Amino acid sequence: MAITRTPTTLSDADMDVMRILHSAFRRDGHRLADAAERYGTQDEKAHEALLLGWHGFSTSLHHHHTIEDAHIWPVIRGKLTGRPDDLAVLEAMEQEHARIDPAIAAVDAAFADREAGVQEVAERITGFLDLLGAHLAHEERDAFPLIRTLVTKPEWNALNKASMKELSYSEIAALSPWLLDGASPADVRRVLDELPAPLRLVHRVWWNPRYRKARRWE
Ligand SMILES: [Fe+2]
């Protein structure tokens, strides 16, 4: 009798980086909301610090959504024949990503226009944060279980490798300190374990100190 083996699905540990990413988005969401409260009172240097913080947030979020749309959802979609409810979840994920991009652009434009009123900036930030908060919660509730149960470990490793390849060296250099800003020591170790040893060293001696030295958000 032939033995059919089901390739193992993902464990909690496999989802760690995804979980740490989502908490980094929430961390910066709080920083952005705080910035909205202070907006209009900042000097030029403080405005530059706000732009630097916002840039790290918005570019990381954009990368993350691009990777999900290009690499993660397609793997799952291929396994959802005859499961319209789950297919609808993936469609919702893509639609939510597509709504978040213009909300990012709206905040960008408000920050770039120094004449933009405090009220307007605050409204755009709230609009963006509302979309993001709802999206993260929706993804964790309905899409994480699909990732956990339908993506196999070899597929997960392959898609993580492929998505890292799409980032330039300087994007990776910016991403790891951003991701680990304020993370627990266990989470820092978890993420650094994913990096090849030489990059782990560069993170410690160069990327992270450089990130920490720059004034951002406030
Ligand atoms: Fe995500």
Side-chain angles (χ1 to χ4, degrees):
M1 190 173 74
I3 300 171
T4 42
R5 277 216 199 136
T6 326
T8 34
T9 50
L10 303 184
S11 64
D12 278 343
D14 292 315
M15 295 296 285
D16 276 345
V17 175
M18 191 65 124
R19 167 183 60 75
I20 297 165
L21 261 166
H22 277 213
S23 36
F25 294 135
R26 289 194 171 94
R27 172 204 72 208
D28 275 2
H30 291 301
R31 291 176 178 170
L32 182 63
D34 289 345
E37 303 254 310
R38 292 190 305 271
Y39 201 77
T41 61
Q42 79 270 39
D43 58 23
E44 269 315 304
K45 287 273 173 234
H47 189 71
E48 277 169 27
L50 167 61
L51 292 186
L52 189 62
W54 166 243
H55 181 72
F57 183 13
S58 57
T59 48
S60 306
L61 184 62
H62 181 74
H63 282 320
H64 176 61
H65 287 167
T66 307
I67 287 167
E68 287 180 334
D69 290 343
H71 295 282
I72 303 184
W73 311 144
V75 169
I76 299 175
R77 185 171 277 122
K79 303 181 182 192
L80 287 178
T81 317
R83 292 170 60 175
D85 291 350
D86 292 330
L87 279 167
V89 170
L90 298 190
E91 225 136 86
M93 291 301 114
E94 286 168 343
Q95 283 165 5
E96 289 168 19
H97 289 172
R99 276 197 293 271
I100 288 171
D101 279 339
I104 291 176
V107 175
D108 275 336
F111 283 157
D113 174 11
R114 295 306 303 273
E115 304 298 311
V118 175
Q119 188 58 34
E120 167 141 30
V121 169
E123 275 170 22
R124 289 180 185 204
I125 288 176
T126 306
F128 162 70
L129 289 176
D130 286 351
L131 285 177
L132 178 64
H135 169 63
L136 293 175
H138 188 194
E139 182 172 314
E140 287 160 4
R141 191 185 66 233
D142 291 342
F144 276 22
L146 295 176
I147 299 176
R148 282 287 303 263
T149 51
L150 292 173
V151 180
T152 66
K153 270 181 196 273
E155 285 168 339
W156 190 241
N157 294 338
L159 71 85
N160 279 315
K161 221 171 167 183
S163 27
M164 282 294 276
K165 271 206 181 132
E166 284 169 15
L167 298 178
S168 68
Y169 180 80
S170 68
E171 285 168 335
I172 297 173
L175 191 62
S176 71
W178 169 86
L179 178 59
L180 296 174
D181 181 357
S184 71
D187 284 350
V188 171
R189 266 197 309 277
R190 180 69 187 85
V191 169
L192 293 183
D193 279 350
E194 293 286 318
L195 289 180
L199 293 191
R200 214 177 306 156
L201 180 67
V202 182
H203 168 90
R204 286 215 173 94
V205 300
W206 183 17
W207 299 343
N208 201 43
R210 182 181 59 183
Y211 175 92
R212 299 181 80 104
K213 223 164 66 195
R215 180 178 171 189
R216 70 191 73 232
W217 287 117
E218 39 191 344

